[in-house]
């Protein structure tokens, strides 16, 4: 009888331990909302509207910028897990080696975007997406900054997420 009591108590304790190891609530699924992605594609949309009609080929010495298909500088902490397409926009993330290879292949300057780290701007969050012209000369990459888009986000309490509040373009 004592053996049955002991095994019942031991089974109950093991069962209790097994259940205590399980989460008490269902885990919240990871959101697909990524502010860097939103900033990139909001910037591309605004850049295309404002600058898409401009021939920036500089008399043929540059590849004309197509804001619907752009190159973006790969920055692992920022660009990893960002989508390569959204709507009509397509991006290619290039690391340093791929930038050199692309420059050698094209034999012309081309535009490359860079997503800068997020900054706090009062009650808003700001992400800058800059446009630079890349060249590869004498075994070195050269970047000439040209334009940028500042994307600001505000927190919407109703939807409980950050939303784009403004996109401001600038340039040299």
């Amino acid at each position: 009888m004592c053996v049955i009591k002991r095994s019942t108590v031991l089974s109950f304790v093991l069962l209790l331990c097994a259940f205590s190891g399980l989460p008490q609530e269902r885990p919240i699924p990871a959101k697909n909302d990524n502010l860097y992605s939103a900033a990139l594609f909001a910037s591309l949309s605004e850049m295309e509207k404002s600058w898409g009609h401009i021939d920036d080929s500089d008399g043929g010495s540059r590849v004309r910028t197509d804001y619907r298909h752009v190159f973006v500088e790969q920055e692992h902490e920022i660009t990893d897990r960002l989508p390569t397409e959204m709507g009509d926009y397509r991006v290619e993330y290039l690391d340093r080696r791929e930038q050199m290879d692309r420059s050698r292949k094209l034999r012309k300057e081309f535009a490359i975007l860079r997503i800068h780290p997020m900054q706090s701007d009062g009650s808003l969050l700001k992400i800058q997406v800059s446009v630079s012209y890349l060249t590869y000369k004498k075994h070195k990459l050269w970047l000439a900054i040209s334009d940028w888009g500042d994307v600001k986000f505000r927190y919407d309490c109703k939807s409980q997420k950050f939303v784009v509040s403004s996109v401001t373009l600038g340039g040299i």
Side-chain angles (χ1 to χ4, degrees):
M1 181 78 168
C2 190
V3 175
I4 295 174
K5 267 186 174 178
R6 232 186 268 165
S7 63
T8 305
V9 170
L10 184 59
S11 298
F12 181 70
V13 169
L14 288 173
L15 188 61
L16 187 61
C17 289
F19 282 123
S20 67
L22 296 175
Q24 300 302 314
E25 296 178 26
R26 290 191 322 183
I28 299 170
K31 292 186 177 181
N32 291 333
D33 300 338
N34 184 307
L35 297 183
Y36 288 112
S37 174
L40 173 62
F41 290 104
S43 293
L44 286 174
S45 176
E46 200 62 33
M47 289 173 180
E48 182 187 27
K49 281 187 236 173
S50 297
W51 305 327
H53 64 282
I54 298 172
D55 182 0
D56 62 349
S57 64
D58 198 26
S61 66
R62 288 183 182 154
V63 175
R64 184 172 177 178
T65 306
D66 176 4
Y67 292 99
R68 290 182 180 262
H69 180 206
V70 295
F71 302 112
V72 176
E73 183 178 334
Q74 185 176 19
E75 181 67 42
H76 291 291
E77 293 82 17
I78 294 175
T79 59
D80 281 0
R81 295 181 283 173
L82 292 187
T84 57
E85 292 183 24
M86 186 172 286
D88 292 337
Y89 297 96
R90 188 169 157 251
V91 298
E92 287 184 54
Y93 301 100
L94 304 177
D95 62 18
R96 308 253 317 148
R97 170 66 47 205
E98 292 166 328
Q99 291 173 29
M100 288 186 266
D101 292 345
R102 186 62 53 121
S103 185
R104 278 191 221 117
K105 180 181 173 186
L106 295 173
R107 297 178 184 239
K108 293 182 181 183
E109 288 185 11
F110 63 92
I112 188 164
L113 280 67
R114 180 172 188 231
I115 305 170
H116 297 267
M118 188 180 314
Q119 297 178 342
S120 173
D121 188 11
S123 64
L124 303 173
L125 297 176
K126 179 179 89 170
I127 299 174
Q128 185 175 81
V129 179
S130 62
V131 180
S132 297
Y133 288 96
L134 183 136
T135 55
Y136 181 71
K137 294 179 188 173
K138 299 180 183 180
H139 306 288
K140 291 184 183 179
L141 284 175
W142 297 85
L143 290 172
I145 192 160
S146 174
D147 309 300
W148 60 86
D150 289 331
V151 182
K152 292 187 179 178
F153 296 89
R154 67 173 171 74
Y155 188 76
D156 180 32
C157 294
K158 187 176 181 181
S159 65
Q160 295 188 342
K161 65 180 185 176
F162 285 95
V163 294
V164 175
S165 68
S166 67
V167 179
T168 307
L169 298 180
I172 297 176

